[in-house]
Amino acid sequence: MASIDTPSPSARSGSGERNILARLWYEKETRGVILQILTVVLLFAFIAYITLNAIANLALLGKTFSFDFLSEPSHYDINQTLIEYTSKSTHFRAGLVGILNTLLVAICGIILATILGFILGVLRLSPNWLVSKMVYCFVEFTRNVPVLLHILLIHGFVVHMLPKPRAAQEWANLADLVFFTNRGVFAPMPLLGDRFSWVATAFLVAVVGSFIFARWAKKHQAATGQHLPVVLINLGAIAALPALAYLLAGSPVGWDIPALKGFNFRGGFVIRPEFLALWLALSLYTSAFIAEIVRAGIEAVSKGQWEASSALGVSRGRTLSLIIIPQAMRVIVPPLTSQYLNLTKNSSLAIAIGYMDIVATVGGITLMQTGKEMETMIIVILFYLGVSLFISAIMNWYNNRIKLVER
Amino acid sequence: MKRIVLGATAALAMMATAANAGTLDDVKARGELICIVNSGFVGFASTDASGKWQGYDIDYCKATAAAVLGDAGKIKYKPATGKTRFTILNSGEGDVLWRNTTWTFVRDVDVKLAFQGVNYYDGQGFMVPKKLGVKSAKELDGASVCIQTGTTTELNLADFFRVNKMKYEPVPTENNEESRTNLLAGRCDVYTTDASGLAATRATFKDPENYVILPEIISKEPLGPVTRHGDDNWSDIIRWVKNALVAAEELGITQANVATMAKGTDNPEINRLLGAEGNLGGMLGLEKDWAVRAIAAVGNYGEIFERNIGTKTKIGLERGLNALWTKGGLQYTPPFR
């Protein structure tokens, strides 16, 4: 404040306008505003500069900026397609195939990483010394080796160690139904008959019924204190009802069993080495981080909760599932979100082993064949941005649901 | 504000133009040619045990550096994959692309590249392990096919299998080395790329005799040097360095006799090429003896071919389409006059 009362020599000698500017500058609050305005202006100037630079350089090369190429035929084949696709399909569809492949490996990876991570995290706290130390070693090894090496290692293992198709037919199979080859795991694929809808309906009924039963059982327990084996009953229902429907419908499911024809197994269902390697590597790598997050979350719950629970005679397993984990989730969810985001983005390493994700299709082959670097990269970036924001939104919603409600 | 934006655009455009137009001046000022090459392709561009680059495309880089800078050693090699090569060239990170690149309409016109002729006439073929007993590419229905992603071979492959109503599983990789590993491990039954590439890859196997290259050649793959659009002078230099090496073979000029011939001969075409008559080099913005230096560095077209990939090397390619036009091949140069 002293500086306002006695303006600096330069401000005194300048015009009135400069005097005001100097005063604004020496006032702490207005200076903050000025700095913020300057930052925003500089940021926009920088964005304008790189945009203009890109426009100028594209113009210089005589290149146009347009997404018309998306409707042209792609002319290339993709080995793993979740939707129908041929080399006559458009680049747009090739991009869609790539997006679905990315989402497939990301979703499978998140599921497996979460399951493994929770198991490992809980085992890490096990009172059993050997179990705890083994998990510790696994976690430290896995999370301290770059994920790209995990991918290459597993891919190399599958491709070099598993037998070629002809040898697999002789020995690397389960009851001549599932074949383990270095070109993938071939398993029978169910062919659904007309009456399969009976089974599907029975399954749906069982699931919905289970939910209703679980809610009722909870109320019942609250009212009477009587505890019913809900999980057992529900699992039984979910297994038994569809099985009954299956028999009533006269076994409406046929099986397409893979068989060696020519070079490869044909028919059935295949998990390619590229998917297998990427999926397992991303899951193992991320599960190590999740294990540490889960451990931290559990340890963040006050020890008194354990003691109070055991004083009431609650078993260790129940204490964990009913008292500790619900509280630990509040600590676990925010860092878990960023692990999910990491896993999804790490899936772009797919190109190292030739898994055809969005980077390999739109950001790779389409880019090369059409020369549209700017457009294809924008598509890829926007896709990852969109997926990441979507995952964040879901996790934030979940976090809001479970967070501590202050009364 | 609008004026500032326009001014900025103009300034940027001018800056970029200045950086792009004079590749020759840039190279001379730098004292070094930046040559974009394959990251590893025995016979064409690879490093030996001591880390020195060698191969067919590398010799062209050397000839260019010798013609432009007078020293075949002043080269910085910039290895590129099939996917990154055009971006590296177009962004100005390299001066010229000598990297077994196929000349196609879309690349020439739409990707805005400037192809400077053909230094190797190639075609796409298939290589399979002998024990599969395959005699023709038409027997490959259902096979797993290894392929380098982002190349023209990927498109030819899709067309070939579709036209012949066969199915296949593409197994894409980023470079030749990974495809080689996949083929040896049995991840795929077949490897497809340019026939020259198949021969070069087979030469690196422990048991090359156990692999056969199938008779079908399913595409035209004219390979040649590439420059950026919009620098005609630099493009002229690249094109005529390439032509000079073909002309040298045609005229009987070799690495051994070029110094003697440069002093003057009875043949006016030789004299014009080697700078004893006229000043073709000056028209390109180079020294008078530009072609002498290029030939002295690596020899004529035939010498480059035989030394790197010819029948006496372990790659063992015939001249075939790449013989001189006078010997039934396609290698031909416009006249030096």
Side-chain angles (χ1 to χ4, degrees), chain A residues 206-222 228-231 233-234:
Chain A
V207 169
V208 173
S210 296
F211 268 106
I212 296 171
F213 178 66
R215 290 190 77 155
W216 176 82
K218 212 172 177 183
K219 263 190 203 158
H220 182 72
Q221 191 180 359
L228 297 169
V230 178
V231 175
I233 293 176
N234 280 350

Side-chain angles (χ1 to χ4, degrees), chain B residues 213-252:
Chain B
I213 294 173
L214 300 178
E216 283 89 350
I217 295 292
I218 64 166
S219 70
K220 290 192 284 191
E221 306 285 339
L223 312 181
V226 191
T227 54
R228 281 182 289 274
H229 254 202
D231 189 349
D232 293 342
N233 180 231
W234 180 246
S235 295
D236 286 344
I237 292 171
I238 300 297
R239 184 164 59 247
W240 286 96
V241 165
K242 180 191 74 68
N243 287 341
L245 300 176
V246 175
E249 186 181 12
E250 205 177 304
L251 298 166

Side-chain angles (χ1 to χ4, degrees), chain B residues 77-138:
Chain B
Y77 294 103
K78 199 159 189 77
T81 66
K83 234 174 83 175
T84 57
R85 52 187 160 174
F86 302 143
T87 313
I88 292 179
L89 179 69
N90 267 339
S91 65
E93 284 181 66
D95 301 315
V96 58
L97 180 70
W98 286 104
R99 189 202 174 279
N100 54 309
T101 297
T102 306
W103 185 0
T104 68
F105 182 97
V106 171
R107 286 175 177 179
D108 198 341
V109 177
D110 203 36
V111 189
K112 308 293 177 191
L113 301 169
F115 283 85
Q116 305 306 336
V118 179
N119 70 337
Y120 191 96
Y121 288 94
D122 212 336
Q124 182 176 346
F126 296 94
M127 178 161 69
V128 294
K130 209 174 243 171
K131 66 172 193 290
L132 284 181
V134 175
K135 293 279 175 287
S136 152
K138 301 258 171 81

Side-chain angles (χ1 to χ4, degrees), chain B:
Chain B
M1 189 62 202
K2 199 172 186 185
R3 195 178 298 156
I4 297 171
V5 172
L6 283 176
T9 319
L12 280 172
M14 267 155 62
M15 265 160 57
T17 317
N20 223 354
T23 310
L24 177 59
D25 294 334
D26 289 350
V27 173
K28 280 183 176 168
R30 203 189 300 129
E32 196 175 53
L33 174 79
I34 302 179
C35 213
I36 308 169
V37 295
N38 200 309
S39 50
F41 186 14
V42 171
F44 285 81
S46 62
T47 46
D48 64 12
S50 63
K52 268 194 182 151
W53 283 93
Q54 55 185 20
Y56 187 80
D57 284 336
I58 300 299
D59 277 356
Y60 274 93
C61 291
K62 287 181 179 167
T64 314
V68 174
L69 297 168
D71 184 344
K74 287 185 177 164
I75 306 174
K76 187 175 158 196
Y77 294 103
K78 199 159 189 77
T81 66
K83 234 174 83 175
T84 57
R85 52 187 160 174
F86 302 143
T87 313
I88 292 179
L89 179 69
N90 267 339
S91 65
E93 284 181 66
D95 301 315
V96 58
L97 180 70
W98 286 104
R99 189 202 174 279
N100 54 309
T101 297
T102 306
W103 185 0
T104 68
F105 182 97
V106 171
R107 286 175 177 179
D108 198 341
V109 177
D110 203 36
V111 189
K112 308 293 177 191
L113 301 169
F115 283 85
Q116 305 306 336
V118 179
N119 70 337
Y120 191 96
Y121 288 94
D122 212 336
Q124 182 176 346
F126 296 94
M127 178 161 69
V128 294
K130 209 174 243 171
K131 66 172 193 290
L132 284 181
V134 175
K135 293 279 175 287
S136 152
K138 301 258 171 81
E139 298 168 16
L140 290 175
D141 192 15
S144 298
V145 184
C146 275
I147 185 153
Q148 290 177 61
T149 191
T151 59
T152 48
T153 47
E154 202 165 30
L155 308 187
N156 299 327
L157 179 72
D159 287 350
F160 178 77
F161 274 80
R162 196 184 67 234
V163 167
N164 287 296
K165 298 195 170 52
M166 300 192 296
K167 282 194 178 355
Y168 71 106
E169 179 206 18
V171 183
T173 65
E174 278 248 83
N175 59 41
N176 191 56
E177 182 54 36
E178 287 164 25
S179 282
R180 176 182 175 270
T181 311
N182 271 342
L183 180 70
L184 290 176
R187 172 67 185 89
C188 49
D189 304 294
V190 199
Y191 179 30
T192 181
T193 186
D194 299 343
S196 63
L198 292 178
T201 307
R202 185 168 61 172
T204 65
F205 289 174
K206 256 187 255 159
D207 54 344
E209 67 283 357
N210 289 334
Y211 290 82
V212 284
I213 294 173
L214 300 178
E216 283 89 350
I217 295 292
I218 64 166
S219 70
K220 290 192 284 191
E221 306 285 339
L223 312 181
V226 191
T227 54
R228 281 182 289 274
H229 254 202
D231 189 349
D232 293 342
N233 180 231
W234 180 246
S235 295
D236 286 344
I237 292 171
I238 300 297
R239 184 164 59 247
W240 286 96
V241 165
K242 180 191 74 68
N243 287 341
L245 300 176
V246 175
E249 186 181 12
E250 205 177 304
L251 298 166
I253 308 168
T254 64
Q255 196 170 11
N257 70 17
V258 64
T260 349
M261 284 200 168
K263 288 176 190 142
T265 64
D266 301 340
N267 185 333
E269 181 140 20
I270 293 179
N271 293 347
R272 280 195 299 274
L273 174 64
L274 299 183
E277 275 177 40
N279 186 8
L280 297 184
M283 296 176 197
L284 285 172
L286 301 177
E287 301 294 321
K288 223 171 176 183
D289 63 343
W290 64 287
V292 179
R293 303 195 297 207
I295 299 163
V298 294
N300 65 36
Y301 181 80
E303 290 178 288
I304 295 174
F305 193 103
E306 294 303 337
R307 182 171 59 243
N308 292 300
I309 52 178
T311 43
K312 292 198 185 90
T313 65
K314 60 180 180 173
I315 293 161
L317 290 168
E318 301 281 343
R319 283 292 287 272
L321 288 175
N322 294 295
L324 289 181
W325 63 289
T326 48
K327 292 177 183 161
L330 292 173
Q331 287 296 346
Y332 181 95
T333 166
F336 279 77
R337 65 165 63 247

Side-chain angles (χ1 to χ4, degrees), chain A residues 373-399:
Chain A
E373 291 109 337
M374 189 73 81
E375 293 88 335
T376 49
M377 279 301 134
I378 287 175
I379 293 175
V380 173
I381 289 170
L382 287 182
F383 167 72
Y384 279 110
L385 186 65
V387 169
S388 295
L389 291 178
F390 181 70
I391 294 175
S392 294
I394 292 182
M395 294 302 282
N396 284 342
W397 169 81
Y398 182 60
N399 193 33

